[in-house]
């Protein structure tokens, strides 16, 4: 009798490749290609621009002596809403509306340059001193370019085409001028000048007291 034949041993199965390794490798290759392409384009980009500063040295034109005391400063912010409309055309065709945020400061100062000899009176015993000052004045607003910007703008079709074809498109000078005007008006209506008067008065009283005067009186030109 024949011995029963033994079943042949099963061949070992090849290990299955994990699909995530394939996709990970593919993703790495794609990233390398994209980064390499961007670096190559930035190096060979024919439309790239390079800024070269060819400005001339700053020229000092003049120096003026100052005889004023900067007594206070006010910080202001205004939102300018400037709209321009055409008489017989809708806004979508002709017209614009711009929201501009203007921020800047206004300085208040007292000018000592106009003081006359009679503005300072000292008592015979040098115990008392009286000084008469002009009222504080306001400087022009100084807009901060870093904090002033166009917040939103809408323009009609004709305005867009005009800006595109113009060699000098509309600038923001009108917005800055309007913002300065509104800030100057707000400074005039504020308590800034009165604060400058009081600060100047306190400064002079402290300074003259250290010079040995027991009584220091500071008046302004419009006071009796």
């Amino acid at each position: 009798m024949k011995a029963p034949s033994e079943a042949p041993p099963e061949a070992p199965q090849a290990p299955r490749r994990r699909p995530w390794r394939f996709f990970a490798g593919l993703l790495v290759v794609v990233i390398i290609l994209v980064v390499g392409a961007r670096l190559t384009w930035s190096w060979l980009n024919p439309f790239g621009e390079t800024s070269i500063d060819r400005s001339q040295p700053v020229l000092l034109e003049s120096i003026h002596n100052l005889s004023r005391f900067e007594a206070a400063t006010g910080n202001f912010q205004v939102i300018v809403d400037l709209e321009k409309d055409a008489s017989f055309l809708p806004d979508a065709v002709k017209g614009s509306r711009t929201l501009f945020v203007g921020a800047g400061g206004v300085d208040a100062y007292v000018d000592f340059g106009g003081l006359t000899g009679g503005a300072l009176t000292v008592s015979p015993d040098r115990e008392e001193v009286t000084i008469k000052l002009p009222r504080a004045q306001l400087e022009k607003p100084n807009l901060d370019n870093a904090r002033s910007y166009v917040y939103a703008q809408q323009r009609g079709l004709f305005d867009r085409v005009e800006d595109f074809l113009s060699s000098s498109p509309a600038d923001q000078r009108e917005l800055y001028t309007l913002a300065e005007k509104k800030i100057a008006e707000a400074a005039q209506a504020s308590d800034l000048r009165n604060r400058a008067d009081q600060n100047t008065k306190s400064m002079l009283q402290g300074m003259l007291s250290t010079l040995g005067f027991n009584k220091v009186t500071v008046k302004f030109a419009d006071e009796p």
Side-chain angles (χ1 to χ4, degrees), residues 156-207:
L157 178 61
F158 285 179
D159 296 274
R160 293 177 182 273
V161 173
E162 182 180 359
D163 290 344
F164 178 77
L165 298 177
S166 176
S167 59
S168 57
D171 53 31
Q172 300 177 3
R173 283 180 294 181
E174 184 178 7
L175 296 171
Y176 275 83
T177 301
L178 192 55
E180 289 178 352
K181 179 182 177 182
K182 291 183 177 297
I183 289 178
E185 293 173 351
Q188 288 285 350
S190 69
D191 193 52
L192 185 57
R193 286 183 297 176
N194 182 57
R195 176 72 65 87
D197 287 339
Q198 299 304 317
N199 290 344
T200 306
K201 187 175 181 178
S202 299
M203 182 273 296
L204 289 174
Q205 287 175 338
M207 182 184 68

Side-chain angles (χ1 to χ4, degrees), residues 84-140:
K84 296 183 178 181
D85 296 324
S87 301
F88 304 103
L89 294 175
D91 294 340
V93 177
K94 177 65 177 176
S96 65
R97 183 178 180 182
T98 305
L99 296 178
F100 177 77
V101 178
V106 178
D107 295 330
Y109 66 94
V110 175
D111 189 1
F112 294 153
L115 296 180
T116 62
L120 185 68
T121 305
V122 180
S123 63
D125 56 2
R126 301 188 61 83
E127 293 289 331
E128 300 181 9
V129 60
T130 301
I131 183 170
K132 189 169 255 188
L133 300 175
R135 287 286 184 180
Q137 304 177 52
L138 297 179
E139 284 277 15
K140 292 180 58 178

Side-chain angles (χ1 to χ4, degrees), residues 16-31:
R16 296 180 179 178
R17 294 182 178 179
R18 299 181 179 179
W20 65 268
R21 292 184 177 179
F22 173 76
F23 289 114
L26 181 61
L27 180 61
V28 171
V29 173
V30 171
I31 293 176

